[in-house]
Amino acid sequence: MAVRERIWVGIDVGKIAHHASAVDETGKVVFSQRVDNGQVAIEQLVARAGKAAAEVRWAVDLTSGAAGLLVMLLLATGQPVTYVSGQTVNRMAGAFGGEGKTDAKDARIIAETSRMRGDLPRLSVPDQVVTDLAVLTARRADLMNDWVRDVNRLRELLSSIFPALEKRLDCTTRAALTLLTGFQTPAAVRDAGEPGLTRHLHDLGVRPGTAHTVTAKALAAAAEQTAALPAEAVTAPLIARLSRQLLDLDREAKDLTKQIGDTFRTHPQAAIIESLPGLGPVLGAEFLVGTGGDLSAFRGPDKLAAFAGLAPMPRDSGRVSGNRRKPRRYYRGLRRVFYMAALVSTMREGPSKTFYQRKRTEGKHHVQALIALARRLVDVLWALLRDNRPFTPAVTDTAAVPTAA
């Protein structure tokens, strides 16, 4: 078989097995095969592609999780590996005949998309620190989601049997959760009294001042409600168990946050990133994960802002021009980083708060002003990383805030 000059191999990633489809310069399928998600099978695929063409260009629709081993082995070949998002594959499917969907068809669509488009993001060997942060921040996000869900569930259960206590307690604090591990009903609170409640909180490490405040609130709530509801016997143990789970979640989240901070600060650009107002170690870690720790993939701050969904897209048609709309496709994790950084930075005096207030006086509402500030922070951070220097705010002149050239 004649060796071709170049082929594009698209891989539809799966947990147990992938499907690879290769096409040449004319779009003709060179080969299509199932590939087990194992090192030997993937290396055999690489060898087959190498025999079919002098140059092989790879494309995948997933870059993490089940694709981890695949991507690592493909990058080890030194040949270009690009990423074709699932949404892009879905939209490109309309250009191919038939309504059927198979792994083989998806793999061919990925290959053809890679062949026809030269603007797809190219994957590179990941930095070890960024790889570690990706795992840690993903786990922290899961914990935060679990925390919000369980807190809402706890409040619902407590309101069903002891609404007076639910109104008074902040169920997101460790002191309130500690109280609820032992006492969940008005009768239980009254029977324990101040000595019993205080002793319970003290034994579980709650500070005396905080324990006194929580005890007073619990006794006041118990004095308001003398009626016992039928569901107390079943609901009270659930509240106690859920409270213990939340305490464990809180501890794990705090430990994980510390680990993220320690890992983030080992990155060579950590000090520069953290110097920007609003960007702490967690948001800084999420920024590194979102960009892969390599801004060379973006041709400038405008491209980075577009990737983060902070650059309005044109929507012109016919005689209508100058329209702008929010982009529909962007990396929401990176948008969150800059939005939260903008929000945090407006909580203290400085150029960010001054910029935000100026936008408000121009007629923008709160969210619009924050998005404008977030877009400005993209320019500032880009300039800082480009020049390899930390942020130094101007004393009085906000125009002196660095921006990308």
Side-chain angles (χ1 to χ4, degrees):
M1 183 176 69
V3 177
R4 294 168 175 80
E5 179 181 350
R6 183 184 300 119
I7 62 171
W8 289 260
V9 183
I11 303 179
D12 181 50
V13 177
K15 292 181 180 179
I16 300 175
H18 316 303
H19 198 99
S21 180
V23 299
D24 60 16
E25 292 92 336
T26 65
K28 180 181 178 181
V29 176
V30 178
F31 65 80
S32 181
Q33 68 175 82
R34 184 180 184 272
V35 183
D36 289 338
N37 190 12
Q39 183 171 345
V40 174
I42 295 172
E43 288 175 343
Q44 290 174 349
L45 170 66
V46 171
R48 181 178 183 182
K51 293 178 181 178
E55 180 184 352
V56 182
R57 298 188 177 185
W58 304 90
V60 296
D61 65 341
L62 194 64
T63 60
S64 59
L69 177 62
L70 172 68
V71 171
M72 184 190 72
L73 294 176
L74 294 182
L75 290 173
T77 66
Q79 295 170 321
V81 182
T82 56
Y83 169 63
V84 183
S85 69
Q87 187 176 45
T88 300
V89 175
N90 180 266
R91 294 192 174 189
M92 286 293 293
F96 293 81
E99 297 182 6
K101 181 186 182 304
T102 64
D103 292 343
K105 181 178 179 181
D106 287 345
R108 185 185 174 191
I109 292 172
I110 295 169
E112 289 281 20
T113 302
S114 176
R115 181 178 69 88
M116 292 184 290
R117 290 184 55 175
D119 61 340
L120 296 172
R122 183 168 171 175
L123 305 184
S124 58
V125 178
D127 181 274
Q128 186 60 50
V129 174
V130 177
T131 301
D132 294 344
L133 288 175
V135 176
L136 295 175
T137 54
R139 174 56 182 163
R140 186 179 183 275
D142 289 340
L143 290 178
M144 293 299 99
N145 290 335
D146 292 343
W147 169 268
V148 172
R149 183 196 63 227
D150 287 351
V151 166
N152 289 336
R153 183 57 178 156
L154 176 66
R155 285 172 170 163
E156 180 183 356
L157 290 173
L158 188 59
S159 295
S160 67
I161 63 171
F162 200 172
L165 184 61
E166 193 276 333
K167 292 178 183 178
R168 283 179 165 79
L169 289 185
D170 181 0
C171 294
T172 62
T173 63
R174 291 190 64 86
L177 294 172
T178 301
L179 175 75
L180 292 174
T181 60
F183 310 94
Q184 307 85 30
T185 65
V189 172
R190 285 193 296 269
D191 291 344
E194 183 176 355
L197 298 179
T198 303
R199 184 167 54 252
H200 172 77
L201 294 172
H202 175 74
D203 291 344
L204 294 179
V206 179
R207 295 177 181 177
T210 305
H212 175 74
T213 301
V214 172
T215 297
K217 291 181 179 180
L219 291 173
E224 286 184 13
Q225 182 177 333
T226 58
L229 301 182
E232 282 185 358
V234 175
T235 307
L238 295 179
I239 293 175
R241 188 181 310 154
L242 199 52
S243 298
R244 288 191 291 269
Q245 291 176 4
L246 283 167
L247 287 171
D248 292 339
L249 274 178
D250 178 69
R251 174 50 54 198
E252 184 179 356
K254 288 179 178 177
D255 292 343
L256 195 57
T257 299
K258 182 180 183 303
Q259 186 179 1
I260 289 173
D262 294 342
T263 305
F264 167 72
R265 292 188 175 104
T266 64
H267 193 275
Q269 294 178 323
I272 298 175
I273 295 171
E274 201 171 359
S275 71
L276 186 67
L279 276 182
V282 173
L283 288 179
E286 292 177 1
F287 169 77
L288 287 177
V289 172
T291 58
D294 182 16
L295 291 183
S296 63
F298 307 95
R299 292 189 292 273
D302 292 342
K303 292 296 182 182
L304 178 59
F307 183 63
L310 296 172
M313 299 291 104
R315 192 176 185 180
D316 299 342
S317 179
R319 298 180 180 178
V320 179
S321 62
N323 283 348
R324 294 291 185 270
R325 64 168 176 82
K326 176 182 175 182
R328 296 175 182 173
R329 290 177 290 172
Y330 55 89
Y331 183 52
R332 283 162 173 76
L334 203 56
R335 180 184 174 93
R336 175 186 174 276
V337 167
F338 285 107
Y339 185 88
M340 292 302 298
L343 180 63
V344 172
S345 66
T346 59
M347 296 179 181
R348 62 185 66 179
E349 296 298 328
S352 290
K353 185 173 183 178
T354 303
F355 181 89
Y356 167 82
Q357 290 174 337
R358 186 169 77 240
K359 291 300 177 181
R360 291 303 304 271
T361 59
E362 292 174 0
K364 297 184 180 297
H365 59 67
H366 173 66
V367 173
Q368 288 176 327
L370 282 179
I371 291 176
L373 176 57
R375 175 65 182 86
R376 183 70 176 271
L377 292 179
V378 172
D379 288 340
V380 175
L381 185 57
W382 180 278
L384 296 178
L385 294 174
R386 179 198 61 197
D387 299 339
N388 195 31
R389 61 186 177 88
F391 176 75
T392 52
V395 177
T396 57
D397 186 9
T398 58
V401 176
T403 57

